[in-house]
Amino acid sequence: MGFLSGKKALITGVASERSIATGITEAFAREGAELAFTYQGDKLKSRVEELAHAHGSELVLPLDVTRDNEIEAVFGSLKDVWGGIDIVIHSIGFAPRELLQGGYLESVTREGYALAHDISAYSFAALGKAARPLMQGRDASLLTLTYLGAVRAVPMYNVMGPAKASLEANVRFMAAELGAEGIRVNGISAGPIKTLAAAGIKGFRGMLGAAEKMSALRRNVTIEEVGNTAAFLSSDLASGITGEILYVDAGYNIMG
Ligand code: 0WD
């Protein structure tokens, strides 16, 4: 029996077989969680359905996190089918591509800044708000994915830096508020991994190369490693951990 057996988990952010959310799905399925998925846009529907079916799940729902009615519909469906929910995985981030090249002040715009923060940071609070009533009395967990650019001025990460800083502050504020209800809130700060979102960052190869050369383990991390950590953090094995940002970066952030 896996350490997530009996847990009902919603996984967002599957966009391809390389997505971090795909690595999380594999680990969750192996550990016995019951899964539901969301997809953004019709183009991704069949891909996410395929992954869901491979893990015995029929619960695949559309979700663009900029739309309140879609967030409401997702949790409405989960309430109908499951009654409640134990785990939400927020693996969503976005900034307009033009803002992820050149200098920060050179590229940033009011609209781009607002959109990056809406999709990458506010959406975690929005999912937390909607999930909260379904998580009562269940030792539940909310988990998001962040990056070192939240706390360091990583070149080219630009507007995503402030957006991830906001996301990490959300982890702390949400953890403080939801703790009394037995709901834990954490973030995983992953090292660079080649995914669709990462391909949008100019100079991403350089980030991968630097991590490989400079991390304590002298290599990059995999979606399987992030998936295993997500499974642990979302499980009752991590019952004493909340409000935390856990680095899964092969020890890059500790190096001088
Ligand atoms: O190096 C990396 N890949 C790292 C990623 C290092 C550290 C953290 N992360 C974070 C990302 O910032 C993001 O928060 O992990 C999370 C997942 O990213 P990923 O797995 O690297 O990227 P990807 O496979 O592209 O999935 C992110 C997905 C989107 O994919 P696309 O490529 O279509 O933009 O986020 C989803 C979408 O599926 N997404 C949305 N979902 C709902 N509503 C929205 C939206 N408005 N916008 C993007």
Side-chain angles (χ1 to χ4, degrees):
M1 217 169 71
F3 60 72
L4 287 175
S5 66
K7 296 278 194 188
K8 298 185 189 323
L10 175 69
I11 299 185
T12 67
V14 173
S16 76
E17 71 278 1
R18 291 181 166 193
S19 292
I20 291 174
T22 305
I24 294 175
T25 299
E26 301 297 340
F28 271 46
R30 187 192 68 223
E31 297 304 334
E34 205 176 326
L35 302 175
F37 297 86
T38 66
Y39 62 91
Q40 185 221 358
D42 285 340
K43 267 203 306 206
L44 292 176
K45 185 178 181 193
S46 58
R47 181 171 296 161
V48 177
E49 276 177 348
E50 207 175 294
L51 184 72
H53 295 163
H55 295 297
S57 167
E58 294 293 329
L59 265 173
V60 181
L61 305 159
L63 177 63
D64 178 336
V65 291
T66 61
R67 301 196 177 138
D68 286 335
N69 61 325
E70 292 192 10
I71 295 175
E72 213 176 289
V74 164
F75 288 92
S77 301
L78 293 177
K79 189 178 180 199
D80 290 345
V81 182
W82 279 348
I85 182 163
D86 303 291
I87 297 167
V88 171
I89 300 296
H90 174 271
S91 187
I92 290 169
F94 178 80
R97 195 174 270 251
E98 332 67 270
L99 273 65
L100 299 175
Q101 45 195 297
Y104 171 57
L105 292 179
E106 254 163 49
S107 61
V108 74
T109 62
R110 188 183 299 273
E111 295 71 28
Y113 188 95
L115 187 61
H117 281 68
D118 186 10
I119 297 180
S120 312
Y122 172 69
S123 66
F124 188 48
L127 295 190
K129 251 163 124 68
R132 186 180 193 173
L134 301 186
M135 289 185 150
Q136 298 302 308
R138 305 178 70 103
D139 295 329
S141 155
L142 295 154
L143 181 69
T144 188
L145 274 301
T146 182
Y147 178 64
L148 185 64
V151 293
R152 294 220 208 133
V154 176
M156 312 287 189
Y157 202 60
N158 295 353
V159 72
M160 281 304 287
K164 291 298 195 192
S166 166
L167 177 66
E168 294 187 5
N170 267 281
V171 168
R172 292 184 284 273
F173 275 81
M174 288 162 64
E177 190 164 328
L178 297 175
E181 297 162 28
I183 303 169
R184 297 181 300 105
V185 187
N186 292 292
I188 290 177
S189 185
I193 299 174
K194 199 158 179 276
T195 62
L196 293 175
I201 303 166
K202 198 145 187 237
F204 181 76
R205 270 151 155 255
M207 284 160 79
L208 272 179
E212 195 175 337
K213 236 168 81 188
M214 307 291 290
S215 66
L217 294 177
R218 309 299 197 276
R219 64 170 176 82
N220 284 293
V221 293
T222 65
I223 60 171
E224 288 76 20
E225 289 174 314
V226 177
N228 285 334
T229 306
F232 160 69
L233 273 180
S234 304
S235 79
D236 296 340
L237 293 173
S239 56
I241 304 175
T242 194
E244 197 66 43
I245 304 298
L246 184 54
Y247 282 79
V248 180
D249 68 345
Y252 182 77
N253 78 94
I254 58 139
M255 298 298 282

